[in-house]
Amino acid sequence: MRVAIAMTSALVLLAPVTPAVATSAQAATGSVFTAATVTQAADGSYTVGWQAPDAGTVAVTATTDASGGGAGTAVGSGGATGSLTVPALPAAPRWYFRLVPAHGTPLVVADRSLHLAHARNFRDVGGYRTADGHWVRMGAFYRSNKLSELDQNELNSLTADNVKLVVDLRNGSERSDDPDKIPAGATYQVADLIDITKGLPTGPDLTLALLLALPFLLKSSKDAEQNLGYRLMVNAPSARIAYRDLMNALASQPASAVFHCTAGKDRTGWGAAVLLTILGVDRTTVYNDFLASNTYYGGDSVRANWLDAAFAEVNRSYGSFDAYVHKGLGLSDATIAALKSRLLAS
């Protein structure tokens, strides 16, 4: 991530410094399913697993409809805790699996990744269970790395998957060097975290962010840079405006949407963490989603202590996550309610 470098460079010029995996699914509240996963293998086959202690038997149907509607194709069944392998299915933008319990509400699951060769960190933000028993819908919002290298088949797949909004978190230079390729019929929106015209942190906020990052220099310069960058993503005015614009855009989007930066791991990672936390997903699951970039994007892409720094800055600057959402991002109760209505299965 270059958020820290870019923001710090801008601050030096403009501001005085004062001393100082796998997937889950959608379901209604009270669903008998406590877990569900889908993994697509290299040969195109799927492994579907679930846990539903009070379900009785579970019938599994493959469908291309994210809502789980339509007749679909029966692919197997099992007990309250089960797993089955589904051979490769006919070509489709995306396959979902409807799990129908003998007792309780059906659940729809899918492999989290869309397996786009030219955007390998493109994956579903949904499919997580909240602390109060809701499930975040799949097939609604996606997170990704840059979309500049998508080929026509991948663009066609996103169009078929009803992606109607692309929110770009990158700065002007990144957007100019690698302009996004947009699915047909989709709207493109910029939410630049490093837009200096919208303001950058100065004085005590910047000084404290720098001081809090310094100890990491003794261990890793990469940790130091990212520790600073993640704090700036919380307290920089330009970043707060960008994340506010992102959440408002998602809340008003009736179709599918994707938000992304260059690698889809840092700026996008914090955006996903904010969204999932607003929805009521527990902190451990939020961290697991964040760290999954090490699997999808590869290597030592992200570290837990970077996300620690962002949440610590939330508490330092605002006292609580709720205060950050309302005061820092300026999100209204209506926007939060719209996000929950759009994304939480009822």
Short mmCIF file of all heavy atoms in Angstrom, two decimals, residues 219-284:
data_model
loop_
_atom_site.label_atom_id
_atom_site.label_comp_id
_atom_site.label_asym_id
_atom_site.label_seq_id
_atom_site.Cartn_x
_atom_site.Cartn_y
_atom_site.Cartn_z
N LYS A 219 11.16 -3.00 14.27
CA LYS A 219 10.86 -4.36 13.85
C LYS A 219 10.79 -4.49 12.34
O LYS A 219 11.30 -5.43 11.76
CB LYS A 219 9.53 -4.82 14.46
CG LYS A 219 9.49 -4.80 15.98
CD LYS A 219 8.12 -5.23 16.50
CE LYS A 219 8.07 -5.18 18.01
NZ LYS A 219 6.73 -5.57 18.52
N SER A 220 10.11 -3.55 11.69
CA SER A 220 9.89 -3.66 10.25
C SER A 220 9.49 -2.30 9.69
O SER A 220 8.53 -1.70 10.16
CB SER A 220 8.78 -4.68 9.96
OG SER A 220 8.30 -4.55 8.63
N SER A 221 10.21 -1.84 8.68
CA SER A 221 9.85 -0.56 8.06
C SER A 221 8.49 -0.68 7.37
O SER A 221 7.74 0.28 7.28
CB SER A 221 10.92 -0.14 7.05
OG SER A 221 11.07 -1.12 6.03
N LYS A 222 8.17 -1.90 6.88
CA LYS A 222 6.87 -2.12 6.26
C LYS A 222 5.77 -1.95 7.29
O LYS A 222 4.74 -1.31 7.02
CB LYS A 222 6.82 -3.52 5.64
CG LYS A 222 5.53 -3.84 4.91
CD LYS A 222 5.62 -5.22 4.25
CE LYS A 222 4.34 -5.54 3.48
NZ LYS A 222 4.41 -6.87 2.82
N ASP A 223 5.97 -2.49 8.48
CA ASP A 223 4.99 -2.32 9.54
C ASP A 223 4.85 -0.85 9.92
O ASP A 223 3.74 -0.37 10.18
CB ASP A 223 5.39 -3.13 10.79
CG ASP A 223 4.89 -4.57 10.73
OD1 ASP A 223 4.00 -4.86 9.91
OD2 ASP A 223 5.39 -5.39 11.51
N ALA A 224 5.96 -0.13 9.96
CA ALA A 224 5.90 1.28 10.34
C ALA A 224 5.10 2.08 9.32
O ALA A 224 4.24 2.89 9.69
CB ALA A 224 7.32 1.84 10.45
N GLU A 225 5.37 1.86 8.04
CA GLU A 225 4.65 2.57 6.99
C GLU A 225 3.15 2.27 7.05
O GLU A 225 2.31 3.18 6.98
CB GLU A 225 5.19 2.19 5.63
CG GLU A 225 4.43 2.80 4.47
CD GLU A 225 4.82 2.21 3.13
OE1 GLU A 225 5.96 1.77 2.97
OE2 GLU A 225 3.95 2.18 2.23
N GLN A 226 2.82 1.00 7.18
CA GLN A 226 1.41 0.62 7.17
C GLN A 226 0.70 1.03 8.46
O GLN A 226 -0.47 1.40 8.43
CB GLN A 226 1.29 -0.90 6.96
CG GLN A 226 1.91 -1.40 5.65
CD GLN A 226 1.16 -0.87 4.44
OE1 GLN A 226 1.06 0.33 4.22
NE2 GLN A 226 0.63 -1.79 3.64
N ASN A 227 1.41 0.98 9.60
CA ASN A 227 0.80 1.42 10.84
C ASN A 227 0.39 2.88 10.74
O ASN A 227 -0.71 3.27 11.16
CB ASN A 227 1.79 1.22 12.00
CG ASN A 227 1.16 1.44 13.35
OD1 ASN A 227 1.06 2.57 13.81
ND2 ASN A 227 0.76 0.36 14.01
N LEU A 228 1.24 3.70 10.14
CA LEU A 228 0.91 5.10 9.92
C LEU A 228 -0.22 5.23 8.91
O LEU A 228 -1.19 5.99 9.12
CB LEU A 228 2.14 5.86 9.44
CG LEU A 228 1.91 7.31 8.99
CD1 LEU A 228 1.34 8.14 10.13
CD2 LEU A 228 3.21 7.91 8.47
N GLY A 229 -0.10 4.50 7.81
CA GLY A 229 -1.11 4.60 6.75
C GLY A 229 -2.50 4.24 7.22
O GLY A 229 -3.48 4.92 6.89
N TYR A 230 -2.61 3.20 8.02
CA TYR A 230 -3.93 2.76 8.50
C TYR A 230 -4.52 3.77 9.49
O TYR A 230 -5.73 3.96 9.53
CB TYR A 230 -3.83 1.37 9.11
CG TYR A 230 -3.93 0.27 8.08
CD1 TYR A 230 -2.88 0.02 7.18
CD2 TYR A 230 -5.07 -0.51 7.96
CE1 TYR A 230 -2.97 -0.97 6.22
CE2 TYR A 230 -5.17 -1.52 7.00
CZ TYR A 230 -4.11 -1.73 6.13
OH TYR A 230 -4.21 -2.71 5.16
N ARG A 231 -3.67 4.41 10.28
CA ARG A 231 -4.18 5.45 11.17
C ARG A 231 -4.67 6.65 10.36
O ARG A 231 -5.70 7.25 10.68
CB ARG A 231 -3.09 5.87 12.16
CG ARG A 231 -2.81 4.80 13.22
CD ARG A 231 -1.75 5.23 14.22
NE ARG A 231 -1.50 4.17 15.18
CZ ARG A 231 -2.22 3.94 16.27
NH1 ARG A 231 -3.26 4.73 16.54
NH2 ARG A 231 -1.93 2.96 17.10
N LEU A 232 -3.94 6.99 9.29
CA LEU A 232 -4.35 8.10 8.45
C LEU A 232 -5.64 7.80 7.70
O LEU A 232 -6.43 8.70 7.42
CB LEU A 232 -3.24 8.45 7.46
CG LEU A 232 -1.96 9.03 8.06
CD1 LEU A 232 -0.91 9.26 6.97
CD2 LEU A 232 -2.25 10.32 8.81
N MET A 233 -5.89 6.51 7.40
CA MET A 233 -7.14 6.15 6.74
C MET A 233 -8.34 6.40 7.66
O MET A 233 -9.47 6.52 7.20
CB MET A 233 -7.12 4.69 6.28
CG MET A 233 -6.27 4.46 5.05
SD MET A 233 -6.57 2.87 4.25
CE MET A 233 -5.91 1.73 5.45
N VAL A 234 -8.07 6.46 8.96
CA VAL A 234 -9.14 6.73 9.92
C VAL A 234 -9.30 8.22 10.16
O VAL A 234 -10.42 8.73 10.20
CB VAL A 234 -8.86 6.00 11.26
CG1 VAL A 234 -9.85 6.44 12.34
CG2 VAL A 234 -8.92 4.49 11.06
N ASN A 235 -8.18 8.95 10.32
CA ASN A 235 -8.31 10.34 10.77
C ASN A 235 -8.08 11.41 9.70
O ASN A 235 -8.35 12.59 9.95
CB ASN A 235 -7.41 10.62 11.99
CG ASN A 235 -5.93 10.51 11.67
OD1 ASN A 235 -5.51 10.73 10.55
ND2 ASN A 235 -5.13 10.18 12.68
N ALA A 236 -7.58 11.06 8.51
CA ALA A 236 -7.39 12.06 7.47
C ALA A 236 -8.74 12.53 6.93
O ALA A 236 -9.59 11.69 6.60
CB ALA A 236 -6.54 11.49 6.33
N PRO A 237 -8.97 13.82 6.84
CA PRO A 237 -10.25 14.31 6.31
C PRO A 237 -10.59 13.73 4.94
O PRO A 237 -11.74 13.37 4.68
CB PRO A 237 -10.05 15.83 6.25
CG PRO A 237 -9.05 16.10 7.33
CD PRO A 237 -8.12 14.93 7.30
N SER A 238 -9.60 13.64 4.05
CA SER A 238 -9.86 13.12 2.71
C SER A 238 -10.31 11.67 2.77
O SER A 238 -11.19 11.24 2.00
CB SER A 238 -8.60 13.23 1.85
OG SER A 238 -7.50 12.55 2.46
N ALA A 239 -9.74 10.89 3.69
CA ALA A 239 -10.11 9.47 3.81
C ALA A 239 -11.51 9.34 4.41
O ALA A 239 -12.31 8.50 3.97
CB ALA A 239 -9.09 8.73 4.67
N ARG A 240 -11.81 10.17 5.41
CA ARG A 240 -13.14 10.10 6.02
C ARG A 240 -14.23 10.43 4.99
O ARG A 240 -15.27 9.77 4.95
CB ARG A 240 -13.24 11.05 7.22
CG ARG A 240 -12.27 10.70 8.35
CD ARG A 240 -12.72 11.29 9.68
NE ARG A 240 -13.10 12.68 9.58
CZ ARG A 240 -12.29 13.73 9.75
NH1 ARG A 240 -11.08 13.55 9.97
NH2 ARG A 240 -12.71 14.96 9.68
N ILE A 241 -13.96 11.41 4.15
CA ILE A 241 -14.93 11.77 3.11
C ILE A 241 -15.06 10.63 2.10
O ILE A 241 -16.17 10.30 1.67
CB ILE A 241 -14.50 13.07 2.41
CG1 ILE A 241 -14.63 14.25 3.37
CG2 ILE A 241 -15.34 13.31 1.15
CD1 ILE A 241 -14.03 15.54 2.85
N ALA A 242 -13.94 10.01 1.74
CA ALA A 242 -13.97 8.92 0.76
C ALA A 242 -14.79 7.74 1.28
O ALA A 242 -15.61 7.17 0.55
CB ALA A 242 -12.55 8.47 0.42
N TYR A 243 -14.57 7.36 2.54
CA TYR A 243 -15.32 6.23 3.09
C TYR A 243 -16.79 6.59 3.32
O TYR A 243 -17.67 5.73 3.17
CB TYR A 243 -14.67 5.73 4.37
CG TYR A 243 -13.39 4.96 4.12
CD1 TYR A 243 -12.17 5.37 4.65
CD2 TYR A 243 -13.40 3.83 3.30
CE1 TYR A 243 -11.00 4.66 4.38
CE2 TYR A 243 -12.23 3.12 3.04
CZ TYR A 243 -11.03 3.55 3.57
OH TYR A 243 -9.88 2.85 3.30
N ARG A 244 -17.06 7.84 3.67
CA ARG A 244 -18.46 8.28 3.76
C ARG A 244 -19.14 8.16 2.40
O ARG A 244 -20.25 7.62 2.29
CB ARG A 244 -18.52 9.73 4.23
CG ARG A 244 -19.95 10.27 4.35
CD ARG A 244 -19.96 11.79 4.40
NE ARG A 244 -19.52 12.35 3.12
CZ ARG A 244 -19.16 13.62 2.95
NH1 ARG A 244 -19.16 14.46 3.98
NH2 ARG A 244 -18.79 14.05 1.76
N ASP A 245 -18.45 8.64 1.35
CA ASP A 245 -19.02 8.56 0.00
C ASP A 245 -19.23 7.11 -0.42
O ASP A 245 -20.23 6.77 -1.06
CB ASP A 245 -18.10 9.26 -1.01
CG ASP A 245 -18.09 10.77 -0.82
OD1 ASP A 245 -18.95 11.29 -0.08
OD2 ASP A 245 -17.21 11.43 -1.42
N LEU A 246 -18.28 6.23 -0.05
CA LEU A 246 -18.42 4.81 -0.38
C LEU A 246 -19.65 4.21 0.28
O LEU A 246 -20.47 3.55 -0.38
CB LEU A 246 -17.17 4.05 0.06
CG LEU A 246 -17.25 2.52 0.00
CD1 LEU A 246 -17.46 2.04 -1.44
CD2 LEU A 246 -16.00 1.87 0.61
N MET A 247 -19.81 4.43 1.59
CA MET A 247 -20.93 3.83 2.30
C MET A 247 -22.26 4.39 1.81
O MET A 247 -23.25 3.65 1.67
CB MET A 247 -20.78 4.06 3.80
CG MET A 247 -19.55 3.40 4.42
SD MET A 247 -19.50 1.60 4.12
CE MET A 247 -17.73 1.30 4.31
N ASN A 248 -22.31 5.68 1.52
CA ASN A 248 -23.54 6.26 0.99
C ASN A 248 -23.88 5.68 -0.38
O ASN A 248 -25.05 5.43 -0.69
CB ASN A 248 -23.41 7.79 0.90
CG ASN A 248 -23.58 8.47 2.25
OD1 ASN A 248 -24.29 7.98 3.11
ND2 ASN A 248 -22.91 9.59 2.44
N ALA A 249 -22.85 5.48 -1.20
CA ALA A 249 -23.07 4.92 -2.54
C ALA A 249 -23.59 3.49 -2.44
O ALA A 249 -24.53 3.10 -3.16
CB ALA A 249 -21.78 4.96 -3.35
N LEU A 250 -23.02 2.69 -1.55
CA LEU A 250 -23.47 1.32 -1.39
C LEU A 250 -24.89 1.27 -0.84
O LEU A 250 -25.70 0.44 -1.26
CB LEU A 250 -22.53 0.56 -0.46
CG LEU A 250 -21.08 0.35 -0.94
CD1 LEU A 250 -20.27 -0.41 0.09
CD2 LEU A 250 -21.04 -0.36 -2.29
N ALA A 251 -25.20 2.16 0.09
CA ALA A 251 -26.52 2.15 0.71
C ALA A 251 -27.62 2.47 -0.29
O ALA A 251 -28.76 2.03 -0.14
CB ALA A 251 -26.56 3.16 1.86
N SER A 252 -27.29 3.24 -1.33
CA SER A 252 -28.30 3.65 -2.30
C SER A 252 -28.28 2.80 -3.57
O SER A 252 -29.02 3.09 -4.52
CB SER A 252 -28.09 5.12 -2.68
OG SER A 252 -26.82 5.31 -3.28
N GLN A 253 -27.45 1.74 -3.57
CA GLN A 253 -27.31 0.92 -4.78
C GLN A 253 -28.21 -0.32 -4.70
O GLN A 253 -27.97 -1.21 -3.89
CB GLN A 253 -25.85 0.50 -4.93
CG GLN A 253 -25.56 -0.43 -6.10
CD GLN A 253 -26.08 0.09 -7.42
OE1 GLN A 253 -26.92 -0.53 -8.06
NE2 GLN A 253 -25.61 1.26 -7.82
N PRO A 254 -29.23 -0.42 -5.56
CA PRO A 254 -30.13 -1.57 -5.51
C PRO A 254 -29.56 -2.81 -6.20
O PRO A 254 -30.01 -3.93 -5.94
CB PRO A 254 -31.37 -1.07 -6.25
CG PRO A 254 -30.84 -0.06 -7.21
CD PRO A 254 -29.70 0.61 -6.50
N ALA A 255 -28.57 -2.61 -7.09
CA ALA A 255 -27.97 -3.74 -7.80
C ALA A 255 -26.64 -4.10 -7.13
O ALA A 255 -26.32 -3.62 -6.04
CB ALA A 255 -27.79 -3.39 -9.27
N SER A 256 -25.85 -4.93 -7.79
CA SER A 256 -24.55 -5.30 -7.24
C SER A 256 -23.53 -4.18 -7.45
O SER A 256 -23.65 -3.38 -8.37
CB SER A 256 -24.05 -6.58 -7.91
OG SER A 256 -24.94 -7.66 -7.68
N ALA A 257 -22.53 -4.14 -6.58
CA ALA A 257 -21.50 -3.11 -6.65
C ALA A 257 -20.16 -3.69 -6.27
O ALA A 257 -20.08 -4.70 -5.56
CB ALA A 257 -21.85 -1.94 -5.73
N VAL A 258 -19.08 -3.03 -6.73
CA VAL A 258 -17.73 -3.42 -6.34
C VAL A 258 -16.96 -2.16 -5.96
O VAL A 258 -17.10 -1.12 -6.61
CB VAL A 258 -17.01 -4.19 -7.47
CG1 VAL A 258 -16.97 -3.39 -8.76
CG2 VAL A 258 -15.58 -4.56 -7.04
N PHE A 259 -16.18 -2.24 -4.88
CA PHE A 259 -15.26 -1.16 -4.54
C PHE A 259 -13.86 -1.73 -4.50
O PHE A 259 -13.64 -2.90 -4.16
CB PHE A 259 -15.65 -0.47 -3.23
CG PHE A 259 -15.70 -1.35 -2.01
CD1 PHE A 259 -14.61 -1.47 -1.16
CD2 PHE A 259 -16.86 -2.05 -1.69
CE1 PHE A 259 -14.67 -2.25 -0.01
CE2 PHE A 259 -16.94 -2.84 -0.55
CZ PHE A 259 -15.83 -2.95 0.29
N HIS A 260 -12.88 -0.88 -4.88
CA HIS A 260 -11.53 -1.42 -5.03
C HIS A 260 -10.49 -0.32 -4.95
O HIS A 260 -10.79 0.87 -5.08
CB HIS A 260 -11.40 -2.13 -6.38
CG HIS A 260 -11.27 -1.18 -7.54
ND1 HIS A 260 -10.05 -0.76 -8.02
CD2 HIS A 260 -12.20 -0.54 -8.29
CE1 HIS A 260 -10.24 0.10 -9.02
NE2 HIS A 260 -11.54 0.24 -9.21
N CYS A 261 -9.23 -0.75 -4.73
CA CYS A 261 -8.08 0.13 -4.87
C CYS A 261 -7.12 -0.55 -5.83
O CYS A 261 -7.58 -1.19 -6.79
CB CYS A 261 -7.46 0.43 -3.51
SG CYS A 261 -7.04 -1.02 -2.52
N THR A 262 -5.82 -0.44 -5.63
CA THR A 262 -4.89 -1.07 -6.58
C THR A 262 -4.73 -2.56 -6.32
O THR A 262 -4.88 -3.38 -7.21
CB THR A 262 -3.53 -0.36 -6.53
OG1 THR A 262 -3.67 0.97 -7.05
CG2 THR A 262 -2.50 -1.09 -7.40
N ALA A 263 -4.41 -2.92 -5.08
CA ALA A 263 -4.24 -4.33 -4.73
C ALA A 263 -5.47 -4.92 -4.06
O ALA A 263 -5.55 -6.14 -3.88
CB ALA A 263 -3.02 -4.52 -3.84
N GLY A 264 -6.41 -4.08 -3.64
CA GLY A 264 -7.63 -4.57 -3.01
C GLY A 264 -7.42 -5.09 -1.61
O GLY A 264 -8.17 -5.95 -1.15
N LYS A 265 -6.41 -4.56 -0.90
CA LYS A 265 -6.08 -5.14 0.39
C LYS A 265 -6.02 -4.15 1.55
O LYS A 265 -6.35 -4.48 2.67
CB LYS A 265 -4.76 -5.90 0.31
CG LYS A 265 -3.55 -5.04 -0.05
CD LYS A 265 -2.31 -5.89 -0.30
CE LYS A 265 -1.08 -5.01 -0.53
NZ LYS A 265 -0.67 -4.29 0.70
N ASP A 266 -5.60 -2.91 1.28
CA ASP A 266 -5.42 -1.93 2.35
C ASP A 266 -6.58 -0.93 2.40
O ASP A 266 -7.41 -0.99 3.31
CB ASP A 266 -4.09 -1.19 2.16
CG ASP A 266 -2.90 -2.14 2.23
OD1 ASP A 266 -2.79 -2.85 3.24
OD2 ASP A 266 -2.10 -2.19 1.28
N ARG A 267 -6.64 -0.03 1.43
CA ARG A 267 -7.78 0.90 1.39
C ARG A 267 -9.10 0.14 1.27
O ARG A 267 -10.07 0.43 1.97
CB ARG A 267 -7.59 1.87 0.21
CG ARG A 267 -6.51 2.91 0.43
CD ARG A 267 -6.11 3.60 -0.86
NE ARG A 267 -5.33 2.75 -1.73
CZ ARG A 267 -4.76 3.15 -2.88
NH1 ARG A 267 -4.93 4.40 -3.28
NH2 ARG A 267 -4.06 2.32 -3.60
N THR A 268 -9.11 -0.86 0.40
CA THR A 268 -10.29 -1.71 0.26
C THR A 268 -10.51 -2.55 1.51
O THR A 268 -11.64 -2.76 1.95
CB THR A 268 -10.15 -2.62 -0.97
OG1 THR A 268 -10.02 -1.81 -2.14
CG2 THR A 268 -11.33 -3.55 -1.12
N GLY A 269 -9.41 -3.01 2.10
CA GLY A 269 -9.51 -3.83 3.31
C GLY A 269 -10.15 -3.09 4.46
O GLY A 269 -11.00 -3.64 5.18
N TRP A 270 -9.76 -1.81 4.66
CA TRP A 270 -10.39 -1.04 5.74
C TRP A 270 -11.84 -0.74 5.39
O TRP A 270 -12.72 -0.78 6.26
CB TRP A 270 -9.61 0.25 6.01
CG TRP A 270 -10.24 1.11 7.07
CD1 TRP A 270 -10.67 2.39 6.93
CD2 TRP A 270 -10.51 0.74 8.44
NE1 TRP A 270 -11.19 2.86 8.12
CE2 TRP A 270 -11.11 1.86 9.06
CE3 TRP A 270 -10.31 -0.41 9.19
CZ2 TRP A 270 -11.51 1.85 10.40
CZ3 TRP A 270 -10.72 -0.42 10.51
CH2 TRP A 270 -11.30 0.69 11.11
N GLY A 271 -12.12 -0.46 4.12
CA GLY A 271 -13.51 -0.22 3.72
C GLY A 271 -14.40 -1.42 4.01
O GLY A 271 -15.52 -1.28 4.52
N ALA A 272 -13.89 -2.63 3.71
CA ALA A 272 -14.66 -3.84 4.00
C ALA A 272 -14.82 -4.05 5.49
O ALA A 272 -15.88 -4.46 5.97
CB ALA A 272 -13.99 -5.05 3.36
N ALA A 273 -13.76 -3.75 6.26
CA ALA A 273 -13.82 -3.89 7.71
C ALA A 273 -14.87 -2.96 8.30
O ALA A 273 -15.62 -3.33 9.21
CB ALA A 273 -12.45 -3.63 8.33
N VAL A 274 -14.92 -1.74 7.80
CA VAL A 274 -15.92 -0.77 8.27
C VAL A 274 -17.32 -1.26 7.94
O VAL A 274 -18.22 -1.26 8.79
CB VAL A 274 -15.66 0.62 7.65
CG1 VAL A 274 -16.83 1.56 7.94
CG2 VAL A 274 -14.36 1.20 8.18
N LEU A 275 -17.52 -1.69 6.70
CA LEU A 275 -18.85 -2.14 6.28
C LEU A 275 -19.31 -3.34 7.10
O LEU A 275 -20.45 -3.36 7.60
CB LEU A 275 -18.81 -2.50 4.79
CG LEU A 275 -20.10 -3.09 4.20
CD1 LEU A 275 -21.26 -2.10 4.33
CD2 LEU A 275 -19.89 -3.48 2.74
N LEU A 276 -18.46 -4.34 7.25
CA LEU A 276 -18.85 -5.54 7.98
C LEU A 276 -19.12 -5.24 9.46
O LEU A 276 -20.02 -5.82 10.07
CB LEU A 276 -17.77 -6.61 7.83
CG LEU A 276 -17.63 -7.21 6.43
CD1 LEU A 276 -16.42 -8.14 6.36
CD2 LEU A 276 -18.89 -7.95 6.01
N THR A 277 -18.34 -4.32 10.03
CA THR A 277 -18.56 -3.97 11.43
C THR A 277 -19.88 -3.22 11.60
O THR A 277 -20.62 -3.45 12.56
CB THR A 277 -17.39 -3.13 11.96
OG1 THR A 277 -16.17 -3.87 11.80
CG2 THR A 277 -17.56 -2.82 13.45
N ILE A 278 -20.20 -2.34 10.67
CA ILE A 278 -21.50 -1.65 10.69
C ILE A 278 -22.63 -2.68 10.67
O ILE A 278 -23.64 -2.53 11.37
CB ILE A 278 -21.63 -0.69 9.49
CG1 ILE A 278 -20.75 0.54 9.69
CG2 ILE A 278 -23.09 -0.27 9.28
CD1 ILE A 278 -20.69 1.45 8.49
N LEU A 279 -22.45 -3.74 9.90
CA LEU A 279 -23.50 -4.75 9.75
C LEU A 279 -23.60 -5.68 10.96
O LEU A 279 -24.56 -6.45 11.05
CB LEU A 279 -23.24 -5.58 8.49
CG LEU A 279 -23.33 -4.81 7.17
CD1 LEU A 279 -22.92 -5.71 6.01
CD2 LEU A 279 -24.73 -4.26 6.95
N GLY A 280 -22.62 -5.62 11.86
CA GLY A 280 -22.70 -6.44 13.06
C GLY A 280 -21.90 -7.73 13.01
O GLY A 280 -22.09 -8.61 13.85
N VAL A 281 -20.99 -7.84 12.05
CA VAL A 281 -20.12 -9.02 11.98
C VAL A 281 -19.07 -8.92 13.08
O VAL A 281 -18.53 -7.85 13.36
CB VAL A 281 -19.46 -9.10 10.59
CG1 VAL A 281 -18.45 -10.25 10.54
CG2 VAL A 281 -20.53 -9.28 9.51
N ASP A 282 -18.78 -10.04 13.74
CA ASP A 282 -17.85 -10.01 14.87
C ASP A 282 -16.43 -9.70 14.41
O ASP A 282 -16.06 -9.91 13.26
CB ASP A 282 -17.89 -11.35 15.63
CG ASP A 282 -17.32 -12.49 14.81
OD1 ASP A 282 -16.10 -12.72 14.87
OD2 ASP A 282 -18.09 -13.15 14.08
N ARG A 283 -15.62 -9.20 15.34
CA ARG A 283 -14.28 -8.72 15.02
C ARG A 283 -13.37 -9.82 14.47
O ARG A 283 -12.56 -9.58 13.57
CB ARG A 283 -13.67 -8.07 16.26
CG ARG A 283 -12.35 -7.31 16.04
CD ARG A 283 -12.50 -6.15 15.09
NE ARG A 283 -13.48 -5.17 15.48
CZ ARG A 283 -13.26 -4.17 16.34
NH1 ARG A 283 -12.08 -4.03 16.91
NH2 ARG A 283 -14.21 -3.30 16.61
N THR A 284 -13.48 -11.03 15.00
CA THR A 284 -12.64 -12.13 14.50
C THR A 284 -12.91 -12.39 13.03
O THR A 284 -11.98 -12.57 12.22
CB THR A 284 -12.89 -13.41 15.32
OG1 THR A 284 -12.50 -13.19 16.67
CG2 THR A 284 -12.08 -14.57 14.75
#
